[in-house]
C-alpha cells in the first residue's frame, strides 16, 4: 500500500468507528458482548473492544520502530528454561496482557477512551509521515499481519477496529 491509501484507510475507518460507537447509548456501548479470552467469567463490551485496538496499534508502532532501528521487531517468547513457548502459551500471555489493559480502562467514559486512542493514532500518523516509500514496503520478519510489510501493518489498524466491532456486534470473540 502507498502512503496516501494508508492514510485514507486509517482516517476513514476511524471516523466510521467513532461515529458508530459514539451514536450508541451507554447501556449498549458498555453492555457485555463477548467472553474474555483470558477470563471466561468476564465479558467485553464494544468499548472494551475499542480500547483493545488502541493497545495493539501502540504495540505495532513500537514493533515497527524496533524493526527500523535494526532490532528484532517481535520478541521471542520463551519459557523459564529458555525453550520456545507453544502457540497456546504465547496466546495465553497475549490474552492476559490485553485483559489487563481492558481492566485498566473498563468503565471509563467513551470520550476518555477516544482521547487515549487519538494519542496513539497521532503516533501512527507521525510514524507514517516519517517513513520512506521503501520503508513502507519492508517486510517485518515473522509478522503475521496483513502482508507483513510496514505499510500493510499500519493499514491493518483500520481492519482491526472493524473486525472487533463485528465480533462485538455478533457476540463472538473471533479469537481476539
Amino acid at each position: 500500500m502507498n502512503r496516501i491509501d494508508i492514510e485514507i484507510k486509517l482516517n476513514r475507518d476511524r471516523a466510521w468507528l467513532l461515529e458508530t460507537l459514539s451514536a450508541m447509548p451507554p447501556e449498549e456501548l458498555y453492555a457485555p458482548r463477548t467472553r474474555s479470552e483470558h477470563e471466561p467469567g468476564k465479558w467485553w463490551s464494544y468499548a472494551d473492544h475499542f480500547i483493545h485496538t488502541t493497545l495493539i496499534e501502540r504495540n505495532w508502532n513500537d514493533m515497527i520502530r524496533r524493526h527500523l532501528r535494526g532490532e528484532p521487531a517481535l520478541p521471542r517468547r520463551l519459557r523459564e528454561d529458555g525453550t520456545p513457548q507453544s502457540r497456546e502459551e504465547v496466546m495465553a500471555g497475549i490474552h492476559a496482557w490485553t485483559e489487563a489493559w481492558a481492566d485498566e480502562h473498563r468503565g471509563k467514559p467513551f470520550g476518555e477512551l477516544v482521547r487515549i486512542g487519538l494519542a496513539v493514532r497521532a503516533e501512527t500518523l507521525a510514524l507514517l509521515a516519517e517513513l520512506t516509500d521503501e520503508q513502507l514496503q519492508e517486510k517485518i520478519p515473522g509478522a503475521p499481519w496483513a502482508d507483513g510489510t510496514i505499510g500493510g501493518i499500519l493499514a491493518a489498524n483500520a481492519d482491526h477496529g472493524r473486525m472487533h466491532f463485528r465480533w462485538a456486534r455478533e457476540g463472538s470473540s473471533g479469537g481476539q
Side-chain angles (χ1 to χ4, degrees):
M1 293 189 82
N2 69 49
R3 154 182 347 276
I4 296 167
D5 292 337
I6 295 167
E7 185 174 349
I8 289 169
K9 183 177 180 83
L10 287 171
N11 288 315
R12 182 178 291 144
D13 283 45
R14 180 151 174 97
W16 174 84
L17 192 56
L18 291 176
E19 288 171 354
T20 303
L21 294 177
S22 66
M24 289 181 178
E27 55 274 7
E28 183 179 2
L29 182 64
Y30 294 99
R33 302 293 307 165
T34 63
R35 278 195 192 278
S36 165
E37 293 286 321
H38 179 65
E39 293 182 43
K42 285 186 176 179
W43 289 79
W44 280 32
S45 66
Y46 282 107
D48 295 328
H49 282 276
F50 175 78
I51 198 64
H52 163 87
T53 63
T54 298
L55 173 65
I56 300 307
E57 184 167 342
R58 185 182 73 186
N59 188 59
W60 286 352
N61 289 345
D62 292 344
M63 174 189 66
I64 291 166
R65 290 196 184 282
R66 284 191 302 273
H67 171 77
L68 294 171
R69 288 191 303 264
E71 301 168 10
L74 298 169
R76 291 201 58 206
R77 309 264 182 184
L78 304 174
R79 296 184 187 109
E80 287 184 20
D81 67 2
T83 59
Q85 291 181 337
S86 68
R87 174 155 173 76
E88 292 78 22
E89 290 169 316
V90 169
M91 291 310 298
I94 290 170
H95 291 316
W97 170 62
T98 60
E99 188 68 48
W101 174 262
D103 285 344
E104 180 182 338
H105 298 288
R106 190 164 282 125
K108 289 183 179 178
F110 188 61
E112 177 64 8
L113 302 180
V114 170
R115 185 196 65 74
I116 295 164
L118 179 59
V120 172
R121 181 52 55 93
E123 292 171 9
T124 302
L125 293 172
L127 176 58
L128 178 60
E130 295 167 14
L131 297 168
T132 66
D133 291 341
E134 293 76 25
Q135 287 172 319
L136 287 172
Q137 300 308 313
E138 281 184 35
K139 288 208 176 235
I140 296 182
W145 307 282
D147 60 359
T149 64
I150 290 173
I153 293 167
L154 287 172
N157 285 301
D159 300 326
H160 193 218
R162 284 191 184 261
M163 179 177 68
H164 272 271
F165 177 84
R166 184 180 72 250
W167 289 344
R169 185 187 67 228
E170 294 169 355
S172 65
S173 68
Q176 285 181 39

